[in-house]
Amino acid sequence: MFDRTDDYEEKIKPILKELNLMCVICGIPYFAAFCVKDMDGKTSYRNVLYSASNMSTVLSDDQLCKHINVANGFDTVLHQPELDFSVFDDLDDPELEIDK
């Protein structure tokens, strides 16, 4: 259990404002998450974002969007390759014929 909300507000947030300004000037999208409190079974975060869409930039692999989804409560699921059904395509194979 801890509560570092005041530390975040007083010490971290001013630095983040400067970091955000530099990212805006340089055109660097980012996402940052800070765990500021964990008490009574509840965890509190402060999330900061400068997204690619704010710059009208399209990313080939927008990991930031995925991080934001997790921050918004989405669960992660390991990528599964597509199933290969091509083994069932050969319907002329006599072994696959079904007698009526």
Side-chain angles (χ1 to χ4, degrees):
M1 293 187 0
F2 69 93
D3 185 354
R4 303 288 187 268
T5 307
D6 290 341
D7 289 332
Y8 173 84
E9 293 294 327
E10 294 170 14
K11 299 173 184 171
I12 305 299
K13 197 171 181 178
I15 295 168
L16 283 175
K17 286 183 180 183
E18 186 175 335
L19 176 67
N20 186 67
L21 178 61
M22 288 296 103
C23 287
V24 169
I25 290 170
C26 296
I28 299 173
Y30 74 92
F31 170 75
F34 300 88
C35 181
V36 296
K37 184 177 180 180
D38 189 81
M39 291 190 135
D40 303 321
K42 185 176 178 193
T43 307
S44 298
Y45 293 89
R46 297 293 188 271
N47 299 316
V48 185
L49 166 71
Y50 179 61
S51 74
S53 61
N54 288 352
M55 304 179 299
S56 301
T57 299
V58 177
L59 301 177
S60 299
D61 179 18
D62 192 348
Q63 296 278 322
L64 299 175
C65 232
K66 295 172 186 174
H67 295 306
I68 295 161
N69 283 340
V70 171
N72 284 328
F74 284 76
D75 287 328
T76 59
V77 177
L78 183 62
H79 175 73
Q80 300 278 332
E82 288 188 32
L83 296 175
D84 181 11
F85 293 102
S86 65
V87 294
F88 299 104
D89 288 344
D90 193 4
L91 296 179
D92 294 329
D93 187 339
E95 293 180 24
L96 294 179
E97 288 183 12
I98 300 173
D99 294 331
K100 294 182 182 180

